[in-house]
Structures are given as structure tokens and as C-alpha cells.
């Protein structure tokens, strides 16, 4: 795919009258992108009596299916109560204000918190299973026996002193990364309720009438059962499986996918009588858009799927939609697990600590990139290295956690036998670095308050070497730093309708999930994106069929039928 094709905004096709146009298909609602937000929007629309067609360039699931399956929920969920956790929507709101900032209005964030319990129950009624059991130590992702955890900075001292902490990371019950389990349950429920799904179908431009209202869209579909469809599926699977280990190869495969789609795809036009909902994810896999909006983050490990190219954002722009917060990227600099790493110190080029090391990885990543120009090192000593090694084994950590930890221990970290070597490896002035090291160690020995508010349980005496230095540069391939994009289309936060540069709603056009600006469009904590997918997807699905969003009547919906009865093309 050429550079121009990666950034081009497909201008909407304008027609005079939808009733007189020659359509290949007609539905009440058409959903573009069938991931977490898309399936939530489709389910909500169909439960309100609308006919719904979802189209997906690949096979559905999106970044949600490839995620850890964590839903950020609080305010007193049944899972929290089963573990004896006391939480209120107000406490959840006060904490999230510190993370969400001005990404959304306060009243929107309040709605998100107030609806958190019912949205979790809604997921449960669609056969998504959650469980309790809180891990004994802070982690970025719990092992299979734990399903409720502190998924953000709630328990970090500087946050906990302001708002009573509560674990709100609700991990879907399942082995390993459980995002696929979450999506499979929602997909099955959607299909059983009548949602139609067309896969290997790329939305290429929106269609508007003479009043500027979105009335449909144009798609390019690989014929089902064809040799092109089989090759398309093979290329997609290879690209997904090779991405982490061979990114350049994966992107070459994605270029081949785009060429195949343009050569073999059949163009069709689908009418959306009530509206189109864009839920095609972010743009982390679009290298040109990353160069344009997130240059400081280029080189980090793209976390997403081949569909995260910003196509839904550009479709909305083509109909006049405004974009915002496109420079908001979340880089997850996880130094826990192994837990021992978080007992070390992160220093900048001045030899000074710049962030408490027990914070959530996205907070550390933000401070690293935005405040330290991506130049910092993690320092730990031989004793912490031994602890890290004992923690980084199968059984104690899943594969996707212990393998990067072992890479860091044996390959990425440099050993310094003297303080002079330590300063040389970090690039910091020896005098300042020694002062920082000794001051931190003194606080650890005497159990006095750390200047950055780090919890006593995360402190360690680093006076005794040898020391080890881990380069935290997000482009360090020996210590990968995953990233996602957080910006997207601007929307009416009460309805989910896309708005233009003048702040006016584009009738018939909605956006949800990472396709739009939302609750997760500032600083990220685990589970916030999926929670916002459900919140914003349901919001768009309700409003597109003109149901009052304030009356959440669907939380008590019956569980999904076991048999899939909808058509999957």
C-alpha cells in the first residue's frame, strides 16, 4: 500500500435521494468493524428491534480479541462485593478524573462510572464470565488464578492518598490472555440475536444524501469461498502471528493484503436506514499516520491487529467528521513483572529519578517519552536480579510475561561492577547518579517516606553492587514496549454521533471505541479501553434507534441462545 493510500481520506459519495438509489443491500444499522465496540453497538441496536449488518475487513474481534480481556469496572460490582471490596461510583469517578483528565466532560465520566455496574452485568448476561480472587502483589496482568486486581494506579501512594483505592480490573475468566474469550461470547450472542456479519469486507467510503446525512456506505468484499478469500485469510493469519517476532515481514504481508483486496474485491453499496456506526479501532498499524501524529513513539511495538489502520477515522473525516487527540499515544513501559524490577530505580540522563517505579506501565511510559524525551534507564542490583530470575519462570508468570523478563535479565541488561561503569552505561553524571542511588537506598533502609511517594514495600537498598542497567528506550527491541493510539473522531458525548469542525452532529453517523475520542483517550490504565468500547458502543447502538440512553433497560436481558442463527457471509 502506498504512503498516499495509508493517509488518504476517502471523500463520501453524495447522492440526491436514498430511496431512488440502487443498493445491493439494506439494513437499519450498519456497523463498520466488529470488535469490542462494534459487537456492543450491534447487540444494543438489534435488541432495540433494528436490523443490523456488521462488516469487518478481516474476521472480527479486533484488538479486543487480542487483548488481556480486562474490563475496568467499579462502583460496587458483584465481583467486588464477593471479595469484600467497598467501592462507590463517586470514588471511581474521583480516581479516574486523575487519569482521564479533559479527554471527556465530567458529566460523561460520571455516566461512565454510574453505568459501570450495569455494563458489567450486561456483559454477564451475554455469557461473559468474571471471577474474583485478588492477587497478593501488584502486577500488570494477573496469572490464571486471579481475576480482580488493581489494573491502574489506584493503590500507588500518590493516588491512594487522594482517593480510597479499590481493585477495578475485572479480567474475563479464561486461560492466558482472555480477550478472545470475551469477544467469542459477545459474538455468539450477537449472531444468535439476528446480527448479520460479513467478513473479508472492507468499508471504503460513506454515502450521504443531499442534506449531508449518512445513508449508507460502499464496501469492497472478497467473494466468499473463492481462492482469493482463502489466500486473504492465510496472509492475514501469517501477518498476525509474525508481528511480534518479525514486524517488517508482517507489514510486507499487510501490503500484499491491501493489493489483493483491491484486485479481487467486489464493490457493493449498502443502505443504512437509521445510521452507520464506525468502530474500526485506532491507527497504530498505520506507519504513515504514526509518523504524522505520533512521531515520538515510532519504533515501539505496535499493539493491535492488522485492522488498526485508522480506516474508520478516515471514513468519518471523509464525511466531514472532526478529529482530536491524535497525538495521544500510550506506551506501556512495564517493569513489573518481574516484581523485583519495580524495586529498582528509573533515572534520566541527569542521573535523577523522574517517576515512582511502582506506577502502572503506561504512566511510566508517558513520563519517559513526554517528559524525558525517551531517554532513561532502569537500575537494579545483583540481589534484585536473583529475585527477578526466581520470579520469571513458567507457573509463576505466563509466557508473554516471563519471556520478556528473561530477555531483559540475560540479554538487554548490562552489568556494571563499579559506579563509574554504572554512570557510563546510563549516560548520567557520576556525582548526581551516586547521590540519587544513596538517597534512595537510605530511604529504603530507614523506611522513611520516598520523595516520589513510592510504597515502602517496593523500596530496596541498592548501595551494594554489582548493578545492572536496562535501557528503557521504547524502541529497544531487546525490551519491547507495546503502544496503542488513543485519539479519533470527535463525537457528541451524549449520543455518540460524529461531529464536524463546527461542532454540529453529522446525522446518521456514529463512532465508538478507539475509533472515537473517549474515556480512554488520555492516560491509559488496563481495562479502560474495553470498558469504553462497551459504554460507547451501547450508547451509539441505543441512540441510532432513538432509545433513551438514560433508561438502561437492557441490563436484565436474557442470556444468549446457544445456537447461532444469523447469516455469516
Amino acid at each position: 500500500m502506498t504512503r498516499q493510500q495509508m493517509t488518504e481520506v476517502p471523500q463520501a459519495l453524495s447522492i440526491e435521494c436514498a430511496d431512488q438509489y440502487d443498493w445491493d443491500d439494506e439494513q437499519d444499522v450498519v456497523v463498520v468493524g466488529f470488535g469490542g465496540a462494534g459487537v456492543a453497538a450491534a447487540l444494543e441496536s438489534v435488541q432495540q428491534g433494528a436490523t443490523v449488518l456488521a462488516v469487518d475487513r478481516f474476521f472480527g474481534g479486533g484488538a479486543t480479541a487480542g487483548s488481556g480481556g480486562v474490563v475496568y469496572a467499579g462502583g460496587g460490582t458483584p465481583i467486588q462485593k464477593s471479595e469484600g471490596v467497598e467501592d462507590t461510583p463517586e470514588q471511581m469517578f474521583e480516581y479516574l478524573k486523575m487519569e482521564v483528565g479533559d479527554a471527556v466532560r465530567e458529566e460523561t465520566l460520571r455516566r461512565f462510572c454510574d453505568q459501570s455496574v450495569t455494563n458489567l452485568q450486561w456483559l454477564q448476561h451475554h455469557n461473559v464470565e468474571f471471577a474474583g480472587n485478588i492477587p497478593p502483589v501488584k502486577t500488570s496482568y494477573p496469572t490464571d488464578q486471579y481475576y480482580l486486581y488493581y489494573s491502574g494506579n489506584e493503590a500507588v501512594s500518590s493516588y491512594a492518598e487522594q482517593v480510597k483505592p479499590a481493585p477495578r480490573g475485572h479480567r474475563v475468566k479464561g486461560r492466558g490472555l482472555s480477550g478472545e474469550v470475551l469477544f467469542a461470547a459477545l459474538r455468539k450472542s450477537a449472531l444468535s440475536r439476528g446480527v448479520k456479519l460479513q467478513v473479508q469486507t472492507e468499508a471504503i467510503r460513506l454515502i450521504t444524501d443531499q442534506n449531508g446525512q449518512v445513508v449508507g456506505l460502499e464496501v469492497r468484499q472478497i467473494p466468499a469461498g473463492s481462492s482469493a478469500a482463502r489466500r486473504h485469510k492465510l496472509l492475514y493469519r501469517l501477518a498476525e502471528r509474525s508481528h511480534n517476532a518479525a514486524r517488517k515481514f508482517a507489514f510486507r504481508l499487510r501490503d500484499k493484503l491491501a493489493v489483493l483486496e483491491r484486485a479481487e474485491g467486489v464493490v457493493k453499496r449498502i443502505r443504512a436506514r437509521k445510521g452507520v456506526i464506525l468502530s474500526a479501532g485506532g491507527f497504530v498499524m498505520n506507519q504513515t499516520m504514526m509518523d504524522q501524529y505520533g512521531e515520538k513513539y515510532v519504533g515501539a511495538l505496535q499493539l493491535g491487529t492488522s485492522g488498526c489502520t485508522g480506516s474508520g477515522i478516515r471514513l468519518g473525516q471523509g464525511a466531514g467528521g472532526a478529529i482530536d487527540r491524535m497525538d495521544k499515544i500510550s506506551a506501556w513501559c512495564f517493569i513489573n513483572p518481574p516484581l523485583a524490577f519495580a524495586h529498582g530505580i528509573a533515572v534520566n540522563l541527569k542521573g535523577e529519578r523522574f517517576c515512582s517505579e511502582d506506577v502502572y506501565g503506561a504512566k511510566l511510559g508517558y513520563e519517559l517519552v513526554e517528559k524525558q524525551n525517551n531517554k532513561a534507564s532502569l537500575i537494579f542490583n545483583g540481589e534484585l536480579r536473583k529475585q527477578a530470575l526466581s520470579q520469571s519462570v513458567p507457573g509463576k508468570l505466563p509466557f508473554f510475561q516471563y519471556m520478556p523478563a528473561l530477555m531483559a535479565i540475560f540479554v538487554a541488561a548490562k552489568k556494571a561492577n563499579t559506579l563509574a561503569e554504572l554512570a557510563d552505561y546510563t549516560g548520567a553524571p557520576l556525582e548526581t547518579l551516586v547521590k540519587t542511588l544513596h538517597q534512595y537506598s537510605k530511604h529504603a533502609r530507614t523506611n522513611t517516606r520516598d520523595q516520589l511517594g513510592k510504597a515502602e514495600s517496593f523500596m530496596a537498598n541498592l548501595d551494594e553492587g554489582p548493578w545492572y542497567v536496562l535501557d528503557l528506550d521504547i524502541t529497544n527491541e531487546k525490551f519491547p514496549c507495546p503502544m496503542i493510539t488513543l485519539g479519533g473522531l470527535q463525537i457528541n458525548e451524549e449520543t455518540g454521533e460524529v461531529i464536524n469542525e463546527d461542532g454540529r452532529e453529522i446525522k446518521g453517523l456514529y463512532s465508538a471505541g478507539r475509533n472515537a475520542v473517549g474515556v480512554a483517550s488520555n492516560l491509559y490504565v488496563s481495562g479502560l479501553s474495553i470498558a469504553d468500547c462497551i459504554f460507547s458502543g451501547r450508547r451509539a447502538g441505543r441512540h441510532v434507534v432513538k432509545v433513551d440512553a438514560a433508561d438502561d433497560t437492557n441490563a436484565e436481558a436474557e442470556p444468549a441462545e446457544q445456537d447461532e442463527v444469523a447469516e455469516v457471509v
Side-chain angles (χ1 to χ4, degrees):
M1 185 178 290
T2 67
R3 188 177 182 89
Q4 180 181 356
Q5 291 167 351
M6 290 291 284
T7 56
E8 66 183 5
V9 173
Q11 296 301 313
L13 172 65
S14 180
I15 62 175
E16 288 189 7
C17 179
D19 289 333
Q20 298 175 3
Y21 196 65
D22 186 19
W23 301 99
D24 294 291
D25 192 5
E26 292 193 24
Q27 302 292 334
D28 290 332
V29 179
V30 180
V31 176
V32 177
F34 199 58
V39 70
L43 266 169
E44 193 67 39
S45 297
V46 81
Q47 286 178 212
Q48 303 299 341
T51 61
V52 180
L53 170 65
V55 299
D56 195 281
R57 183 184 170 195
F58 297 110
F59 301 94
T64 295
S67 75
V70 179
V71 180
Y72 195 90
T77 69
I79 305 301
Q80 286 180 316
K81 290 179 179 179
S82 71
E83 293 296 312
V85 174
E86 295 181 359
D87 193 20
T88 67
E90 182 64 25
Q91 289 171 347
M92 181 180 178
F93 170 77
E94 290 298 330
Y95 166 70
L96 282 180
K97 271 203 308 184
M98 294 186 279
E99 304 286 13
V100 173
D102 61 352
V104 296
R105 299 194 305 268
E106 282 200 2
E107 52 265 39
T108 302
L109 182 58
R110 283 194 182 278
R111 276 199 308 274
F112 176 80
C113 297
D114 290 342
Q115 294 175 13
S116 184
V117 171
T118 54
N119 277 333
L120 195 77
Q121 290 173 329
W122 183 85
L123 287 169
Q124 290 175 308
H125 283 294
H126 289 290
N127 296 332
V128 179
E129 187 178 357
F130 297 93
N133 206 6
I134 304 171
V137 295
K138 182 175 173 58
T139 180
S140 60
Y141 190 78
T143 52
D144 287 349
Q145 63 266 46
Y146 303 109
Y147 291 95
L148 177 66
Y149 72 116
Y150 291 95
S151 64
N153 294 301
E154 304 88 350
V156 175
S157 298
S158 56
Y159 292 82
E161 289 171 355
Q162 299 182 59
V163 184
K164 181 182 177 181
R168 301 189 183 100
H170 290 65
R171 179 187 162 204
V172 174
K173 192 170 184 181
R175 296 183 62 185
L177 293 170
S178 50
E180 189 173 353
V181 177
L182 183 153
F183 177 73
L186 293 181
R187 178 186 184 277
K188 186 172 185 177
S189 185
L191 296 181
S192 72
R193 282 170 163 77
V195 173
K196 295 181 179 180
L197 173 62
Q198 291 184 359
V199 297
Q200 295 178 296
T201 303
E202 179 186 14
I204 54 179
R205 63 174 169 172
L206 295 169
I207 301 175
T208 60
D209 65 13
Q210 57 188 348
N211 298 316
Q213 178 170 336
V214 173
V215 294
L217 76 159
E218 198 171 73
V219 302
R220 185 185 291 117
Q221 185 179 61
I222 304 290
S226 65
S227 59
R230 291 190 292 273
R231 186 176 176 219
H232 185 267
K233 186 174 185 177
L234 176 62
L235 287 171
Y236 170 73
R237 286 183 172 178
L238 284 174
E240 294 301 290
R241 292 173 181 175
S242 62
H243 178 77
N244 289 348
R247 278 185 274 172
K248 290 182 180 179
F249 174 66
F251 277 107
R252 286 199 295 270
L253 292 175
R254 293 179 181 119
D255 290 341
K256 292 180 182 294
L257 276 167
V259 171
L260 179 62
E261 289 162 349
R262 289 173 179 267
E264 301 292 340
V266 177
V267 174
K268 296 182 179 180
R269 297 175 176 88
I270 305 168
R271 183 179 183 182
R273 290 184 288 262
K274 293 183 178 294
V276 172
I277 301 175
L278 300 174
S279 51
F283 60 92
V284 75
M285 293 296 180
N286 188 320
Q287 297 180 88
T288 306
M289 288 182 73
M290 284 298 303
D291 288 340
Q292 182 178 0
Y293 298 111
E295 184 179 5
K296 289 183 289 188
Y297 294 85
V298 170
L301 176 64
Q302 302 94 338
L303 189 63
T305 70
S306 297
C308 297
T309 63
S311 60
I313 297 172
R314 287 179 282 125
L315 280 172
Q317 288 181 275
I323 56 175
D324 194 20
R325 307 182 80 84
M326 296 291 281
D327 61 338
K328 292 292 183 179
I329 314 291
S330 184
W332 299 349
C333 185
F334 286 132
I335 58 172
N336 174 21
L339 184 65
F341 278 179
H343 287 68
I345 58 173
V347 298
N348 57 22
L349 290 179
K350 296 179 180 179
E352 300 170 342
R353 292 173 65 217
F354 58 91
C355 182
S356 178
E357 295 81 9
D358 60 348
V359 296
Y360 177 67
K363 171 66 173 174
L364 180 59
Y366 170 80
E367 295 290 334
L368 167 66
V369 178
E370 299 293 340
K371 303 289 185 65
Q372 305 302 326
N373 197 30
N374 199 25
K375 301 297 182 184
S377 303
L378 178 70
I379 298 173
F380 52 98
N381 64 4
E383 178 57 34
L384 290 180
R385 184 179 185 272
K386 291 178 184 177
Q387 294 177 25
L389 188 56
S390 68
Q391 295 163 358
S392 305
V393 295
K396 291 186 178 181
L397 294 177
F399 178 82
F400 70 90
Q401 287 181 327
Y402 74 72
M403 279 306 297
L406 292 176
M407 277 284 292
I409 293 169
F410 290 111
V411 180
K414 296 180 179 180
K415 183 179 180 180
N417 291 306
T418 67
L419 290 171
E421 280 186 313
L422 184 64
D424 183 54
Y425 288 150
T426 62
L430 176 60
E431 184 178 348
T432 306
L433 183 62
V434 170
K435 181 180 178 181
T436 298
L437 196 70
H438 289 339
Q439 185 179 45
Y440 175 80
S441 297
K442 180 180 178 181
H443 287 311
R445 290 194 309 270
T446 59
N447 291 325
T448 53
R449 182 177 176 82
D450 176 59
Q451 60 184 2
L452 294 180
K454 189 173 182 177
E456 289 182 11
S457 59
F458 278 84
M459 301 287 286
N461 184 355
L462 300 181
D463 275 341
E464 187 174 332
W467 299 272
Y468 293 84
V469 178
L470 183 60
D471 185 359
L472 295 181
D473 188 323
I474 64 172
T475 66
N476 183 359
E477 294 185 356
K478 297 177 182 178
F479 188 64
C481 180
M483 66 171 173
I484 61 173
T485 62
L486 304 178
L489 293 168
Q490 293 187 50
I491 56 167
N492 178 320
E493 293 178 17
E494 293 183 1
T495 66
E497 292 171 287
V498 176
I499 59 176
N500 61 23
E501 295 288 351
D502 297 326
R504 297 179 181 177
E505 294 83 4
I506 300 173
K507 295 304 177 184
L509 185 62
Y510 296 77
S511 187
R514 296 284 54 74
N515 206 130
V517 173
V519 171
S521 294
N522 189 44
L523 290 178
Y524 193 77
V525 299
S526 281
L528 199 57
S529 186
I530 293 181
D532 188 42
C533 282
I534 304 306
F535 171 76
S536 62
R538 294 190 69 198
R539 174 180 60 193
R542 276 191 296 254
H543 192 268
V544 73
V545 289
K546 303 301 184 288
V547 173
D548 185 3
D551 181 19
D552 191 1
T553 58
N554 287 306
E556 300 303 321
E558 290 297 319
E561 297 294 330
Q562 296 302 309
D563 296 323
E564 295 183 1
V565 296
E567 177 184 10
V568 182
V569 181

